[in-house]
Each structure stands twice: as C-alpha cells, then as structure tokens.
Amino acid sequence: MIKLSKMTDYAVVILAEMAAQEGNVQSASGLANHTKLPEPTVSKILKLLTKHDIIESKRGINGGYALVKSPTHINMAALITALDGPIALTACVEQSTECCERSQCCTMKGKWNPVNIAMQKALEDVSLAQMMGTN
Amino acid sequence: MIKLSKMTDYAVVILAEMAAQEGNVQSASGLANHTKLPEPTVSKILKLLTKHDIIESKRGINGGYALVKSPTHINMAALITALDGPIALTACVEQSTECCERSQCCTMKGKWNPVNIAMQKALEDVSLAQMMGTN
DNA sequence: ATAAATCGGACTGTTGCGGTACTCATTTAC
DNA sequence: GTAAATGAGTACCGCAACAGTCCGATTTAT
C-alpha cells in the first residue's frame, strides 16, 4: 500500500483547524485539544511545518503558531515534502548517478521519473482549501 | 518520502527481463541469475505476480513463469496494487465508514480520495513497455 | 512409479517509523 | 529584573511492516 504517513494526515487536520481561526495565533496545546490529537505529536508536526515555512511561530507568553499563507496557496505536495521528504516512488531516482549495489547498472535507472513527476503534479493541484471543502 | 517498496522496483526489473524473452517460460532461478537479484526475493515476487494474474506459472520439470499479457498492457497501477496493496494515500479512506479512533469523526474523512484517484490514473498511464523504453 | 525440478505458503529477523519524554532557548507579563 | 509560559531541539523506546529464508506440495519427464 502506497500510503503517506499518519504525520501528514495529522498535519492536514491541524492546518485545517488553524485555517478555521485564520489570523489567530494558537498554541500547540490548544491545537492538540481542538483536534483531539496527542500533544507531543502535534508539537512535533508544528515544528516541522515551521521549519519548512508553511506556518510561523511566535515564542513567549501568548505565543503559538499561525498560517503565513492562505489555505488556497498551501498544496499537498509542499506538505508531504515537509513531513515525509521528497516525493519519489523509488530509491533508484535519476539523482543517484551511481549504479545500484547490484553488479551491473540497473536497467530501469531513471525510468520512474516520469511517474514521479506526474504524481508531484497531481499533489500540487490539491490545495488545503480544497481538502477543507464540503464533502 | 513517499516511496514504493523495493519489491515493486524489483518486479519491474524482473518483468522487463521476462518481456525480453517473451513467450519463453523462465524459471525463478534463471530470472534471478539474469537480473542479479537474490533468488528467494525473485521467487517471492513471482508468486505475488502470479496470484494477481500478471504472469502465469507452470509447475514440474521445465516449469517456470511467463507473461500473460503484452508489456503494453501491463501498467504500473496494477503492478503496485499487486505488490503493495491498494493505492491510497492515507488510512482514512472513504471505504472505512467508521470514525477514526479519535473521539470525533475526523473532519478530513474522505478528502484524500480525489488525490488518490489522480495518482491511480497517473500510474495507470504508464505501461511496462514505456518503462522499458530507451533512456 | 519414481524422482527431479519447480511452485506454494508459512516463518523469522531487522529496519524504520510513530510516538514519547526530557531539557534548553526565547519571549513577555508583571 | 524575574519568573512564567511557550516554542525548539535532542534522544529514546516499542511496534509493525517489510525483506529475506526455509520447508512442504505439486507436477512432469523418464
């Protein structure tokens, strides 16, 4: 099963909650309460999102996190990249110019790239706002 | 990193080898030799592919495996489904009508489906033959 | 009928991820 | 200036899924 990690799943829920209160700075514990997710996990995800400039943080008393972009401008590709690393369907991607550990160069080297690109595009086309839309 | 398992990667290499000798029945050990992959792994993959009717097996002396469809009619979606299970980007897919383990229904329930469908389509559009094409 | 060759399914070890806890750095209210 | 509140960073543990291994079932050539 090609599935993205729970972390990404959680991230969407958290971001949706933040978007619902757009403009407000919300603390990690507050978000954890609202989303019913375990606080340490929420905190971890928020840090990752901050590091990748998807949200911004404010320290000190009454600190917390806030969106920097509107939900329309946050796409799934960026989210997944932030939490799970680069989007690629196999280890044998073009970037690794060396041969695999196998005795000869894998004949499939680089062949997955078109697929990867297609997937990347599919994910870029979905915004957080769309994910939040009614069923 | 969204990545598919090595198994799928290997499967493509193996199928490419089989396609190169289309029509011929090839034993698991023979294919392992040609692809330089560990035989038990090759064997395991061949079993999975057989179960999903992507190839067919022949027992007894001079037995082995052979393609049932032409490389043009084998797409990546079928391959990945056979080896890694259904293509879905999250556990919270439409099919599970129950709520998550969280106290309330996840607000994102079913929202990933459009993305999943887009990915499925992207993968269906790539045939084994295309993967075998020259670099 | 026998035996060799091969497929088929169950089993096990290991790696990576999800989840947690702890400590340090920073900011602001008083 | 001090202390409280909050985010940032690091390190750790348990579980689950995967990669790899083995032995039994089945078929066919002789």
Side-chain angles (χ1 to χ4, degrees):
Chain A
M1 168 104 74
I2 300 179
K3 62 179 190 343
L4 46 82
S5 61
K6 286 187 184 179
M7 305 302 269
T8 311
D9 211 354
Y10 294 164
V12 174
V13 177
I14 294 168
L15 284 172
E17 177 66 26
M18 292 178 71
Q21 319 245 337
E22 204 173 349
N24 287 3
V25 178
Q26 297 188 76
S27 69
S29 60
L31 285 167
N33 282 337
H34 288 134
T35 56
K36 312 286 183 197
L37 296 171
E39 184 177 336
T41 304
V42 170
S43 182
K44 189 177 187 177
I45 292 170
L46 288 169
K47 285 170 201 168
L48 277 171
L49 293 175
T50 305
K51 196 179 234 173
H52 286 265
D53 298 319
I54 293 171
I55 59 178
E56 65 183 3
S57 68
K58 190 172 181 307
R59 288 191 169 190
I61 290 181
N62 296 329
Y65 298 91
L67 294 180
V68 282
K69 297 190 259 184
S70 81
T72 345
H73 292 104
I74 301 176
N75 68 65
M76 290 306 116
L79 250 182
I80 294 171
T81 303
L83 292 164
D84 290 340
I87 297 172
L89 279 184
T90 171
C92 300
V93 286
E94 187 100 344
Q95 65 192 21
S96 73
T97 48
E98 321 96 37
C99 304
C100 321
E101 62 277 2
R102 301 296 157 203
S103 56
Q104 64 202 21
C105 262
C106 168
T107 51
M108 291 297 119
K109 196 161 82 67
K111 297 295 173 51
W112 283 102
N113 276 343
V115 186
N116 289 339
I117 291 167
M119 286 189 48
Q120 172 97 24
K121 219 163 178 46
L123 292 174
E124 277 172 359
D125 284 346
V126 182
S127 70
L128 174 62
Q130 280 176 278
M131 296 283 291
M132 293 169 60
T134 49
N135 267 322
Chain B
M1 167 103 74
I2 300 180
K3 62 178 190 343
L4 46 82
S5 60
K6 285 186 185 176
M7 305 302 271
T8 310
D9 211 354
Y10 293 164
V12 174
V13 177
I14 294 168
L15 284 172
E17 177 65 27
M18 291 178 72
Q21 319 244 337
E22 205 174 347
N24 287 4
V25 178
Q26 297 188 77
S27 69
S29 60
L31 285 167
N33 282 336
H34 288 134
T35 56
K36 312 286 185 196
L37 295 171
E39 182 176 336
T41 302
V42 170
S43 181
K44 188 178 186 175
I45 293 169
L46 289 169
K47 287 170 201 167
L48 278 170
L49 294 175
T50 305
K51 196 179 234 175
H52 286 264
D53 299 319
I54 293 171
I55 58 177
E56 64 184 2
S57 67
K58 191 173 181 305
R59 289 192 166 188
I61 293 180
N62 296 329
Y65 297 91
L67 293 179
V68 283
K69 296 190 259 186
S70 80
T72 348
H73 293 104
I74 301 176
N75 68 66
M76 289 305 116
L79 250 182
I80 294 171
T81 302
L83 291 164
D84 291 341
I87 297 171
L89 280 184
T90 170
C92 300
V93 286
E94 187 100 344
Q95 66 192 21
S96 74
T97 49
E98 322 95 37
C99 306
C100 324
E101 63 276 1
R102 301 296 156 203
S103 57
Q104 64 202 23
C105 262
C106 168
T107 52
M108 289 299 118
K109 195 161 82 69
K111 298 293 172 51
W112 284 102
N113 276 343
V115 185
N116 289 339
I117 292 167
M119 286 190 46
Q120 171 96 24
K121 219 163 178 46
L123 293 173
E124 276 173 359
D125 284 346
V126 183
S127 70
L128 174 62
Q130 280 175 277
M131 296 283 291
M132 294 170 60
T134 50
N135 267 321

